[in-house]
Amino acid sequence: MKKLNWKKAILAGVIGTLLFDIVGLLFTGQWWDIPGLLGQKTGLGFVYGIFGHYGNGVLLAILYSAIAPHLWGPYWLRPFIFVTAETIALVWLFMLPLLGAGVAGINQSPMTPVVTLLRHFAFALPLIFIVNSEIQSKITPMKQPSTNQ
């Protein structure tokens, strides 16, 4: 069993969350909207929201790093499969309805499902280039069968 590269997973989580925030800024015009919402809804303030938001990104990258070798499909596609499933299950069907925005945030705006998925696709990019490069480097290629008879 291969060991998890914690440093690369944490780095991918931080960079992925930063990319998530940049895409959010481009679409919403607001910087750190999620940390602000987390701080407000928990009553713990904006600084907690920042740490909670980035901590969540790191935890998702660690989770991906642990399960990526067991996912199907090409290595470049696995992060997109992971973040799509995570977005649907945890954001569209849990978090957004909990916040009163309806399933997939449709009560907030018809663009909410699109924007949330694009933000998570941006999060997936470091998973491809940092985490998957680590996983691929540890895979030993299968030996080709001998053609000599």
Side-chain angles (χ1 to χ4, degrees):
M1 186 166 178
K2 306 297 181 192
K3 283 188 167 186
L4 180 72
N5 187 323
W6 289 90
K7 289 179 185 177
K8 286 192 175 188
I10 291 167
L11 178 64
V14 170
I15 293 171
T17 306
L18 183 61
L19 291 173
F20 175 97
D21 288 333
I22 290 169
V23 170
L25 175 65
L26 295 173
F27 277 102
T28 68
Q30 297 176 355
W31 180 248
W32 279 350
D33 55 336
I34 304 300
L37 184 64
L38 281 173
Q40 176 189 1
K41 292 293 184 179
T42 61
L44 298 172
F46 185 65
V47 173
Y48 166 79
I50 294 169
F51 281 102
H53 177 52
Y54 278 78
N56 182 62
V58 167
L59 288 175
L60 285 172
I62 291 169
L63 176 63
Y64 172 77
S65 298
I67 68 170
H70 308 288
L71 296 176
W72 55 269
Y75 279 94
W76 66 267
L77 184 61
R78 293 177 188 196
F80 292 109
I81 294 168
F82 175 79
V83 299
T84 300
E86 175 265 328
T87 301
I88 292 168
L90 300 178
V91 178
W92 291 359
L93 298 177
F94 179 71
M95 186 187 80
L96 290 170
L98 188 65
L99 294 171
V103 172
I106 206 73
N107 296 347
Q108 185 178 21
S109 164
M111 286 301 294
T112 299
V114 175
V115 172
T116 56
L117 190 56
L118 290 174
R119 289 177 87 161
H120 285 88
F121 282 173
F123 177 85
L125 295 176
L127 300 179
I128 295 169
F129 295 107
I130 297 172
V131 173
N132 279 357
S133 67
E134 174 71 17
I135 293 167
Q136 284 181 298
S137 71
K138 292 183 178 179
I139 294 175
T140 55
M142 290 177 43
K143 290 186 178 183
Q144 296 296 321
S146 174
T147 56
N148 298 339
Q149 292 183 346

